[in-house]
Each structure stands twice: as C-alpha cells, then as structure tokens.
Amino acid sequence: MVSVNSFDKMWCRNLQDLPIGIGKLVQLISLNLCGCTSLRKLPIEMKKLNNLRRLDIRDTKILKRIPRGVLSVLRKLEELNTLGSGLKWFASGVEELSQLISLSDISVEMRKANVFHWFKPFLKSKRMGSLYLRNCTIDPSIFPYLLDIDGEVTFKSCEGLTQFPTHGCKWLTVEACPDLKTLLIVEKAERNAFESLDGLVLDQLDQLQAICTGVPQPGCFSNMTSVEIQECPNLKVIFTNGVTRLLKNLRLLEVFQCPQLVKIVADEDLEINAFPSLKEMRLCELPELTDICHLDLNWPSLSEAHVYLCSKLRRPPFGAKHVDISLNDEMDNQMTKFYLRRKERGSLLG
C-alpha cells in the first residue's frame, strides 16, 4: 500500500495511459488529469481507489470510456468533472453515477443522446455543477428536473428544447436549438426566474422571437452582467416591457447579425436612468436597427460603444446629450477586426 493523497498530471499532453499500479494508491483523495489530451483510457485498477473524492478529467478529448463498474465503487467520490472529454453518457453510465451517494458536484457533457426519463432520477438526486448537452434530443418531461443546476449550462444543437433551468444556473448558453421561440414565458415561470443568472449567450436560434414575454417579477435577471446575442434572424426587439428596470447590473451587451432587429429596447416603462452599470455595447450587422430606444437615457457608465454595419441607426444613437460617447462605426478598424475575428471563430466552431 502506498500513501499518496493527491495525484496531479494536469496538462500532461503526452500521457496515454495511467500506470496499472495506480490501484495501490488506496489513500488517494484527488486525481487531476485535466488537459491530458493523449489519455486513451482509465485502468480497471481504479476500482481500488476507495478514498477518492475528486476526479477531474476535463479536456481529455480522446478518452472515450471508463470501464464499467469503476465509477459505481468510488463511494466517497464527491466531485466529478468530465467537460471536454470524449466520454458519451448513456443510461448505464448515468445509473452508475446515481449510485454514488457522496457525489455532490458533477459537471458532465452529453452528446448525441436522447435525454429522456432515465435521466430524471440522476438530476433529482445530484447537484450539477455544469451541464453541456450537444446534439441531444430532449424530452419535455425532464424540464422540471433542470431547475437547480448550479453553474454553467450549455445547449448546442438540441432538439425539443423549449424551456430552461431558471434557478441556480449562473451562465446559460443556447446555440443552434431549432425549437426555441422564447427564453422566458412569465406566466409559466416560477418566481424570480433567472435570479442567479450572470451571463446569457443566444446564438444561431432561427425561431427565437422574444427573450421574454410578459412582465417579469422583481429579482428576475437582477444579477445578469453580460448578454451576447448572435444570428437570431427572427428577433426584432431585445428588451421588452418590464425587463429593462431589472438590468441594474448589466455591464456588457453584444448583438450581432440579427437581420430583423429594429430596436434594442421597446419598453413602455423605460426610465432615463436605465442601464446604470452598462459599460460597453457592441452592435454589428443589424441592417434594420433604427433606434437603441425611444428615450435619451443618461447612460451613466457607458464608456465604449461600437457600431458596425448598422446603416439605419439614427445618429447620434445615444441621444443629443451624449454625442461625447466614443462611437466607433463602419470606419473603425478596431471594430472591424474584432467583428471579423468573431465571425471567423463562429464558422470554425460550427
């Protein structure tokens, strides 16, 4: 027996296999293999690591499987992070995870899976740190079980997605999900929906028509600091009635390539002191955009604004009182380079 508490091989890119002798490290508490991009498999001998509490296999892209029976015997495992690994989670693997009574923080990525009833008990019994679903089909019956994910949630190219976790989630990314029409329907939402949300990314959502329908209650969106929206062809307005008054902590707003967008804010109750914390705004390739909003706001914190390919936007876009705000438009090389880099990155990721 060897007494070692921590085994850290983080970012050992040439590591292909763990030594068989790792099973002798029975006192091992933490095993960090994050970034071991050549790691092919985990040995069956890991079943002997009875004291293991933390297992990090993030960014191990060619690691395709964990031998059956390994996870289910790690009874003391508390934290598991598999984001960016090559693992595919199906019913049998999730069933193993469900047997881990000490597991309290898990971050997993699921690809090309049908997320149906077999996923419910796991979601109900475990605290999810992060959840990444890609090319998955989602059954609406699991939506109530997605309400208490604690960290980052990403849905990419998922069919059947019409609702979201509204409590606990701190960062929400939704990309290329064909069934989404509205992010938040107030009459169907729980009180203080998205109260913990810090960042929101909406990308390539062909059917998205509104971020919010109805007037949200106080607390909703109250901690959100960043909003990024790109390639949503049917979106005409970003912030509707009752939303703007809640965005007291919003610092960054980016809106790219939304061809039907006509206004950023269409809020009948808009006040001149709206967006008190907004520091930076980027608006790119919005050919129908005519106004930011209908009032001349105070914009107390706005220090940088970039506008590119928004030919119908009124000048000055932030009102006559704020012509001093630095406006970088079509002739600004910095914004052009930023925009083209982002557009190129989006095409590569897609």
Side-chain angles (χ1 to χ4, degrees), residues 241-257:
N241 285 346
V243 175
T244 311
R245 62 184 170 84
L246 304 173
L247 301 176
K248 298 186 183 301
N249 291 304
L250 187 66
R251 298 188 182 97
L252 171 66
L253 174 63
E254 293 184 352
V255 187
F256 290 5
Q257 295 175 280

Side-chain angles (χ1 to χ4, degrees), residues 63 114 129 145 155 164 200 219 278 284 306:
L63 178 64
N114 292 325
Y145 298 89
F155 298 94
F164 298 93
L200 174 65
L278 188 65
C284 300
H306 298 275

Side-chain angles (χ1 to χ4, degrees), residues 293-304:
C293 58
H294 64 279
L295 289 181
D296 284 351
L297 303 184
N298 285 334
W299 304 109
S301 301
L302 190 64
S303 59
E304 189 174 357

Side-chain angles (χ1 to χ4, degrees), residues 5 11 19 35 72 102 106 130 147 160 165 184 219 246 251 268 283 285:
N5 290 331
W11 298 105
S72 59
S102 299
I106 177 169
S130 298
L147 295 177
L184 176 65
L246 304 173
R251 298 188 182 97
E268 296 175 357
L283 307 174
E285 200 170 339

Side-chain angles (χ1 to χ4, degrees), residues 81-130:
N81 194 326
T82 71
L83 293 178
S85 71
L87 294 174
K88 294 182 179 179
W89 293 96
F90 298 104
S92 57
V94 172
E95 184 180 353
E96 280 200 55
L97 292 179
S98 299
Q99 298 176 33
L100 300 179
I101 58 176
S102 299
L103 190 63
S104 59
D105 190 348
I106 177 169
S107 300
V108 299
E109 178 176 346
M110 299 182 67
R111 298 189 180 198
K112 298 180 180 179
N114 292 325
V115 186
F116 291 138
H117 61 277
W118 53 265
F119 202 42
K120 294 179 189 177
F122 176 73
L123 288 171
K124 188 175 182 179
S125 63
K126 306 299 178 187
R127 184 172 72 87
M128 299 289 290
S130 298

